[in-house]
Amino acid sequence: MKAKSLKPMRLEDILFSQGFGTRRVCAGLIQQGHVAVDGQVQTDAGESYAPEGLQFSVQGTPWTFHEHAYVMLHKPAGTECSQKPSAWPSIYTLLPAPLRQRPNKGAVQGVQAVGRLDQDTTGLLLLSDDGAFIHRMSSPKKHVPKVYQVTACHPITDAMVQKLLEGVVLDDDPKPVRAAACAQTGESTLDLTLTEGKYHQVKRMLAAVGNRVDALHRSRIGGLTLPADLAPGQWRLLSETDLALIKP
Ligand code: URA
């Protein structure tokens, strides 16, 4: 994730690597005067630049070169984390084309979600085109804590909190799953911290203690909190500081 020094690259290859289309499309955009580097229109697709941090614009859209893209998205309710959603719009429609089109050696194109949230769950979702990062962040061995703000359908009792902390058995696994932390924040709300990510885990854990999830919001991954100024549906590239906060 640390910026390494990359060899100079041709402008056409820089645009291609950042997801602006095939090399041919990128060359066309440059030759037709749609690309500016550091504010100057550049029509030579073969001109070389040191890529890391290069600022350019394509058809007026400003862009900064990043070898890999690390993105946080405030997932709104009513969206699916699948590329091929079955009933609701895909979260990928919330991202600009270059993030969806970034070439990815041997794998699917563009950034991919790090794990999934349910259709009705809102909050912090990470995406990247760095396979090693996705693997590290998703690995159960890394125990990256994730904080979920739960609104339950019924009042939460001390006994429920106790059981969530001690561990509950979910139907498909005899090994109990427990919350790393569980703080009641209101009569029927709590903050639940999990370090694993089983299918519908929060909903199933609440059901296992005799309650039900009414609304679910993920507010934190590792040390990274969803920024208050990132509205539902908005995305932002992660800074080096953000990345350090979530490093497993
Ligand atoms: N647990 C759930 O039940 N749903 C989510 O979306 C995330 C965690």
Side-chain angles (χ1 to χ4, degrees), residues 75 81 116-122 146 148 192 194 196-206 213 216-218:
K75 180 192 174 295
C81 288
R116 291 185 175 198
L117 293 174
D118 296 337
Q119 167 277 119
D120 51 354
T121 302
T122 58
K146 299 181 183 83
Y148 293 90
L192 197 67
L194 301 182
E196 50 198 336
K198 292 182 188 294
Y199 183 64
H200 292 328
Q201 184 164 341
V202 177
K203 291 176 183 167
R204 290 159 74 211
M205 285 177 79
L206 264 282
V213 169
L216 189 56
H217 177 83
R218 184 157 69 190

mmCIF file of all heavy atoms in Angstrom, residues 75 81 116-122 146 148 192 194 196-206 213 216-218, ligand 1:
data_model
loop_
_atom_site.group_PDB
_atom_site.id
_atom_site.type_symbol
_atom_site.label_atom_id
_atom_site.label_comp_id
_atom_site.label_asym_id
_atom_site.label_seq_id
_atom_site.Cartn_x
_atom_site.Cartn_y
_atom_site.Cartn_z
ATOM 1 N N LYS A 75 -22.696 2.706 2.114
ATOM 2 C CA LYS A 75 -23.716 1.900 1.429
ATOM 3 C C LYS A 75 -25.110 2.334 1.898
ATOM 4 O O LYS A 75 -25.399 2.322 3.087
ATOM 5 C CB LYS A 75 -23.504 0.413 1.720
ATOM 6 C CG LYS A 75 -24.538 -0.463 1.017
ATOM 7 C CD LYS A 75 -24.509 -1.893 1.537
ATOM 8 C CE LYS A 75 -25.631 -2.713 0.931
ATOM 9 N NZ LYS A 75 -26.974 -2.255 1.327
ATOM 10 N N CYS A 81 -24.696 -5.876 -2.793
ATOM 11 C CA CYS A 81 -23.243 -5.841 -2.961
ATOM 12 C C CYS A 81 -22.768 -6.738 -4.100
ATOM 13 O O CYS A 81 -21.570 -6.984 -4.217
ATOM 14 C CB CYS A 81 -22.551 -6.245 -1.657
ATOM 15 S SG CYS A 81 -22.667 -4.981 -0.393
ATOM 16 N N ARG A 116 -19.469 -8.506 2.179
ATOM 17 C CA ARG A 116 -20.760 -7.989 1.723
ATOM 18 C C ARG A 116 -21.614 -7.524 2.888
ATOM 19 O O ARG A 116 -21.472 -8.040 3.997
ATOM 20 C CB ARG A 116 -21.522 -9.074 0.973
ATOM 21 C CG ARG A 116 -20.874 -9.408 -0.349
ATOM 22 C CD ARG A 116 -21.695 -10.381 -1.145
ATOM 23 N NE ARG A 116 -21.077 -10.559 -2.459
ATOM 24 C CZ ARG A 116 -21.683 -11.063 -3.506
ATOM 25 N NH1 ARG A 116 -22.932 -11.458 -3.419
ATOM 26 N NH2 ARG A 116 -21.056 -11.181 -4.652
ATOM 27 N N LEU A 117 -22.473 -6.582 2.610
ATOM 28 C CA LEU A 117 -23.517 -6.202 3.568
ATOM 29 C C LEU A 117 -24.850 -6.565 2.938
ATOM 30 O O LEU A 117 -24.994 -6.545 1.704
ATOM 31 C CB LEU A 117 -23.466 -4.689 3.850
ATOM 32 C CG LEU A 117 -22.227 -4.164 4.598
ATOM 33 C CD1 LEU A 117 -22.253 -2.638 4.675
ATOM 34 C CD2 LEU A 117 -22.130 -4.772 5.987
ATOM 35 N N ASP A 118 -25.835 -6.867 3.778
ATOM 36 C CA ASP A 118 -27.157 -7.215 3.259
ATOM 37 C C ASP A 118 -27.787 -6.023 2.537
ATOM 38 O O ASP A 118 -27.410 -4.870 2.779
ATOM 39 C CB ASP A 118 -28.086 -7.635 4.402
ATOM 40 C CG ASP A 118 -27.602 -8.903 5.090
ATOM 41 O OD1 ASP A 118 -26.864 -9.667 4.458
ATOM 42 O OD2 ASP A 118 -27.977 -9.098 6.261
ATOM 43 N N GLN A 119 -28.769 -6.328 1.749
ATOM 44 C CA GLN A 119 -29.488 -5.300 0.983
ATOM 45 C C GLN A 119 -29.968 -4.159 1.873
ATOM 46 O O GLN A 119 -29.835 -2.984 1.543
ATOM 47 C CB GLN A 119 -30.640 -6.025 0.262
ATOM 48 C CG GLN A 119 -31.717 -5.202 -0.345
ATOM 49 C CD GLN A 119 -32.776 -4.782 0.665
ATOM 50 O OE1 GLN A 119 -32.982 -3.587 0.896
ATOM 51 N NE2 GLN A 119 -33.473 -5.730 1.281
ATOM 52 N N ASP A 120 -30.492 -4.493 3.065
ATOM 53 C CA ASP A 120 -31.076 -3.469 3.940
ATOM 54 C C ASP A 120 -30.077 -2.897 4.947
ATOM 55 O O ASP A 120 -30.427 -2.021 5.737
ATOM 56 C CB ASP A 120 -32.308 -4.029 4.671
ATOM 57 C CG ASP A 120 -32.027 -5.369 5.362
ATOM 58 O OD1 ASP A 120 -30.927 -5.915 5.173
ATOM 59 O OD2 ASP A 120 -32.914 -5.865 6.080
ATOM 60 N N THR A 121 -28.835 -3.378 4.948
ATOM 61 C CA THR A 121 -27.816 -2.846 5.863
ATOM 62 C C THR A 121 -27.177 -1.610 5.241
ATOM 63 O O THR A 121 -26.927 -1.569 4.028
ATOM 64 C CB THR A 121 -26.734 -3.916 6.132
ATOM 65 O OG1 THR A 121 -27.350 -5.070 6.678
ATOM 66 C CG2 THR A 121 -25.674 -3.410 7.097
ATOM 67 N N THR A 122 -26.901 -0.614 6.081
ATOM 68 C CA THR A 122 -26.261 0.613 5.607
ATOM 69 C C THR A 122 -24.855 0.697 6.213
ATOM 70 O O THR A 122 -24.516 -0.056 7.120
ATOM 71 C CB THR A 122 -27.061 1.847 6.060
ATOM 72 O OG1 THR A 122 -27.140 1.834 7.484
ATOM 73 C CG2 THR A 122 -28.467 1.852 5.475
ATOM 74 N N LYS A 146 -15.236 -5.178 13.457
ATOM 75 C CA LYS A 146 -16.223 -4.368 12.716
ATOM 76 C C LYS A 146 -17.345 -4.038 13.688
ATOM 77 O O LYS A 146 -17.831 -4.923 14.400
ATOM 78 C CB LYS A 146 -16.772 -5.154 11.527
ATOM 79 C CG LYS A 146 -15.678 -5.527 10.546
ATOM 80 C CD LYS A 146 -16.202 -6.277 9.359
ATOM 81 C CE LYS A 146 -15.055 -6.682 8.449
ATOM 82 N NZ LYS A 146 -14.386 -7.921 8.877
ATOM 83 N N TYR A 148 -21.098 -2.789 14.441
ATOM 84 C CA TYR A 148 -22.444 -2.676 13.862
ATOM 85 C C TYR A 148 -23.360 -1.984 14.866
ATOM 86 O O TYR A 148 -23.408 -2.380 16.040
ATOM 87 C CB TYR A 148 -23.011 -4.066 13.556
ATOM 88 C CG TYR A 148 -22.258 -4.781 12.461
ATOM 89 C CD1 TYR A 148 -21.174 -5.593 12.758
ATOM 90 C CD2 TYR A 148 -22.621 -4.617 11.121
ATOM 91 C CE1 TYR A 148 -20.466 -6.241 11.752
ATOM 92 C CE2 TYR A 148 -21.917 -5.257 10.117
ATOM 93 C CZ TYR A 148 -20.848 -6.070 10.436
ATOM 94 O OH TYR A 148 -20.147 -6.694 9.434
ATOM 95 N N LEU A 192 -22.503 -3.628 18.400
ATOM 96 C CA LEU A 192 -21.978 -4.986 18.469
ATOM 97 C C LEU A 192 -20.676 -5.036 17.669
ATOM 98 O O LEU A 192 -20.656 -4.636 16.503
ATOM 99 C CB LEU A 192 -23.018 -5.912 17.829
ATOM 100 C CG LEU A 192 -22.939 -7.395 18.080
ATOM 101 C CD1 LEU A 192 -23.236 -7.711 19.543
ATOM 102 C CD2 LEU A 192 -23.971 -8.117 17.206
ATOM 103 N N LEU A 194 -17.839 -7.356 15.979
ATOM 104 C CA LEU A 194 -17.549 -8.727 15.544
ATOM 105 C C LEU A 194 -16.182 -8.768 14.884
ATOM 106 O O LEU A 194 -15.772 -7.799 14.235
ATOM 107 C CB LEU A 194 -18.594 -9.206 14.529
ATOM 108 C CG LEU A 194 -20.049 -9.220 14.972
ATOM 109 C CD1 LEU A 194 -20.927 -9.764 13.846
ATOM 110 C CD2 LEU A 194 -20.237 -10.058 16.226
ATOM 111 N N GLU A 196 -15.435 -11.599 12.984
ATOM 112 C CA GLU A 196 -15.587 -12.558 11.876
ATOM 113 C C GLU A 196 -16.797 -12.098 11.060
ATOM 114 O O GLU A 196 -17.500 -11.186 11.471
ATOM 115 C CB GLU A 196 -15.768 -13.983 12.406
ATOM 116 C CG GLU A 196 -16.833 -14.064 13.454
ATOM 117 C CD GLU A 196 -16.761 -15.327 14.314
ATOM 118 O OE1 GLU A 196 -16.207 -16.327 13.863
ATOM 119 O OE2 GLU A 196 -17.286 -15.279 15.419
ATOM 120 N N GLY A 197 -17.027 -12.730 9.929
ATOM 121 C CA GLY A 197 -18.093 -12.232 9.064
ATOM 122 C C GLY A 197 -18.892 -13.353 8.445
ATOM 123 O O GLY A 197 -18.818 -13.600 7.253
ATOM 124 N N LYS A 198 -19.659 -14.045 9.294
ATOM 125 C CA LYS A 198 -20.486 -15.134 8.772
ATOM 126 C C LYS A 198 -21.751 -14.549 8.136
ATOM 127 O O LYS A 198 -22.157 -13.431 8.468
ATOM 128 C CB LYS A 198 -20.879 -16.091 9.898
ATOM 129 C CG LYS A 198 -19.696 -16.872 10.451
ATOM 130 C CD LYS A 198 -20.170 -17.829 11.525
ATOM 131 C CE LYS A 198 -19.010 -18.482 12.231
ATOM 132 N NZ LYS A 198 -18.216 -19.365 11.375
ATOM 133 N N TYR A 199 -22.361 -15.348 7.293
ATOM 134 C CA TYR A 199 -23.552 -14.940 6.561
ATOM 135 C C TYR A 199 -24.648 -14.460 7.526
ATOM 136 O O TYR A 199 -24.991 -15.173 8.469
ATOM 137 C CB TYR A 199 -24.028 -16.161 5.748
ATOM 138 C CG TYR A 199 -25.208 -15.924 4.856
ATOM 139 C CD1 TYR A 199 -25.129 -15.035 3.778
ATOM 140 C CD2 TYR A 199 -26.406 -16.599 5.068
ATOM 141 C CE1 TYR A 199 -26.214 -14.829 2.960
ATOM 142 C CE2 TYR A 199 -27.496 -16.401 4.252
ATOM 143 C CZ TYR A 199 -27.394 -15.515 3.202
ATOM 144 O OH TYR A 199 -28.473 -15.312 2.392
ATOM 145 N N HIS A 200 -25.153 -13.237 7.311
ATOM 146 C CA HIS A 200 -26.220 -12.655 8.151
ATOM 147 C C HIS A 200 -25.886 -12.770 9.652
ATOM 148 O O HIS A 200 -26.770 -13.028 10.467
ATOM 149 C CB HIS A 200 -27.558 -13.388 7.923
ATOM 150 C CG HIS A 200 -28.161 -13.176 6.571
ATOM 151 N ND1 HIS A 200 -28.028 -12.021 5.852
ATOM 152 C CD2 HIS A 200 -28.954 -13.991 5.812
ATOM 153 C CE1 HIS A 200 -28.681 -12.125 4.700
ATOM 154 N NE2 HIS A 200 -29.241 -13.312 4.644
ATOM 155 N N GLN A 201 -24.613 -12.602 9.980
ATOM 156 C CA GLN A 201 -24.197 -12.947 11.348
ATOM 157 C C GLN A 201 -24.929 -12.159 12.437
ATOM 158 O O GLN A 201 -25.378 -12.731 13.427
ATOM 159 C CB GLN A 201 -22.676 -12.765 11.510
ATOM 160 C CG GLN A 201 -22.214 -13.222 12.891
ATOM 161 C CD GLN A 201 -20.725 -13.419 12.979
ATOM 162 O OE1 GLN A 201 -20.055 -13.557 11.968
ATOM 163 N NE2 GLN A 201 -20.201 -13.429 14.179
ATOM 164 N N VAL A 202 -25.044 -10.839 12.248
ATOM 165 C CA VAL A 202 -25.682 -10.034 13.305
ATOM 166 C C VAL A 202 -27.151 -10.442 13.445
ATOM 167 O O VAL A 202 -27.654 -10.658 14.564
ATOM 168 C CB VAL A 202 -25.556 -8.522 12.999
ATOM 169 C CG1 VAL A 202 -26.288 -7.702 14.045
ATOM 170 C CG2 VAL A 202 -24.086 -8.106 12.924
ATOM 171 N N LYS A 203 -27.828 -10.566 12.319
ATOM 172 C CA LYS A 203 -29.256 -10.918 12.363
ATOM 173 C C LYS A 203 -29.452 -12.281 13.038
ATOM 174 O O LYS A 203 -30.368 -12.459 13.847
ATOM 175 C CB LYS A 203 -29.848 -10.925 10.951
ATOM 176 C CG LYS A 203 -29.928 -9.518 10.367
ATOM 177 C CD LYS A 203 -30.413 -9.519 8.946
ATOM 178 C CE LYS A 203 -30.397 -8.096 8.403
ATOM 179 N NZ LYS A 203 -30.559 -8.016 6.968
ATOM 180 N N ARG A 204 -28.566 -13.224 12.706
ATOM 181 C CA ARG A 204 -28.701 -14.567 13.279
ATOM 182 C C ARG A 204 -28.334 -14.569 14.766
ATOM 183 O O ARG A 204 -28.935 -15.282 15.556
ATOM 184 C CB ARG A 204 -27.849 -15.560 12.490
ATOM 185 C CG ARG A 204 -28.450 -15.799 11.089
ATOM 186 C CD ARG A 204 -27.415 -16.333 10.142
ATOM 187 N NE ARG A 204 -27.080 -17.708 10.386
ATOM 188 C CZ ARG A 204 -25.889 -18.253 10.151
ATOM 189 N NH1 ARG A 204 -24.908 -17.507 9.684
ATOM 190 N NH2 ARG A 204 -25.685 -19.512 10.370
ATOM 191 N N MET A 205 -27.371 -13.752 15.134
ATOM 192 C CA MET A 205 -27.007 -13.702 16.571
ATOM 193 C C MET A 205 -28.158 -13.097 17.388
ATOM 194 O O MET A 205 -28.485 -13.585 18.463
ATOM 195 C CB MET A 205 -25.713 -12.892 16.768
ATOM 196 C CG MET A 205 -24.466 -13.644 16.333
ATOM 197 S SD MET A 205 -22.952 -12.665 16.489
ATOM 198 C CE MET A 205 -22.638 -12.804 18.250
ATOM 199 N N LEU A 206 -28.770 -12.034 16.842
ATOM 200 C CA LEU A 206 -29.902 -11.428 17.576
ATOM 201 C C LEU A 206 -31.059 -12.418 17.671
ATOM 202 O O LEU A 206 -31.707 -12.538 18.714
ATOM 203 C CB LEU A 206 -30.337 -10.137 16.864
ATOM 204 C CG LEU A 206 -29.772 -8.803 17.397
ATOM 205 C CD1 LEU A 206 -30.488 -8.357 18.655
ATOM 206 C CD2 LEU A 206 -28.285 -8.872 17.677
ATOM 207 N N VAL A 213 -33.423 -8.118 14.385
ATOM 208 C CA VAL A 213 -32.849 -6.849 13.905
ATOM 209 C C VAL A 213 -33.903 -6.088 13.106
ATOM 210 O O VAL A 213 -34.510 -6.621 12.181
ATOM 211 C CB VAL A 213 -31.595 -7.117 13.023
ATOM 212 C CG1 VAL A 213 -31.160 -5.840 12.315
ATOM 213 C CG2 VAL A 213 -30.458 -7.675 13.857
ATOM 214 N N LEU A 216 -29.830 -2.105 10.648
ATOM 215 C CA LEU A 216 -28.420 -2.448 10.883
ATOM 216 C C LEU A 216 -27.527 -1.482 10.099
ATOM 217 O O LEU A 216 -27.759 -1.242 8.908
ATOM 218 C CB LEU A 216 -28.186 -3.886 10.419
ATOM 219 C CG LEU A 216 -26.859 -4.534 10.749
ATOM 220 C CD1 LEU A 216 -26.592 -4.505 12.246
ATOM 221 C CD2 LEU A 216 -26.866 -5.987 10.258
ATOM 222 N N HIS A 217 -26.528 -0.957 10.800
ATOM 223 C CA HIS A 217 -25.624 0.030 10.202
ATOM 224 C C HIS A 217 -24.203 -0.305 10.640
ATOM 225 O O HIS A 217 -23.954 -0.461 11.840
ATOM 226 C CB HIS A 217 -26.026 1.421 10.704
ATOM 227 C CG HIS A 217 -25.128 2.520 10.232
ATOM 228 N ND1 HIS A 217 -25.257 3.119 8.987
ATOM 229 C CD2 HIS A 217 -24.085 3.149 10.842
ATOM 230 C CE1 HIS A 217 -24.337 4.064 8.858
ATOM 231 N NE2 HIS A 217 -23.609 4.101 9.964
ATOM 232 N N ARG A 218 -23.272 -0.424 9.677
ATOM 233 C CA ARG A 218 -21.879 -0.664 10.070
ATOM 234 C C ARG A 218 -21.169 0.687 10.166
ATOM 235 O O ARG A 218 -21.087 1.417 9.178
ATOM 236 C CB ARG A 218 -21.162 -1.571 9.064
ATOM 237 C CG ARG A 218 -19.756 -1.892 9.552
ATOM 238 C CD ARG A 218 -19.217 -3.153 8.936
ATOM 239 N NE ARG A 218 -18.963 -2.987 7.518
ATOM 240 C CZ ARG A 218 -18.664 -3.999 6.697
ATOM 241 N NH1 ARG A 218 -18.634 -5.244 7.152
ATOM 242 N NH2 ARG A 218 -18.438 -3.779 5.423
HETATM 243 N N1 URA B 1 -24.598 -9.163 9.706
HETATM 244 C C1 URA B 1 -25.821 -9.206 9.107
HETATM 245 O O1 URA B 1 -26.711 -9.895 9.567
HETATM 246 N N2 URA B 1 -25.987 -8.477 8.000
HETATM 247 C C2 URA B 1 -25.047 -7.653 7.470
HETATM 248 O O2 URA B 1 -25.286 -6.988 6.465
HETATM 249 C C3 URA B 1 -23.792 -7.611 8.115
HETATM 250 C C4 URA B 1 -23.591 -8.372 9.230
#
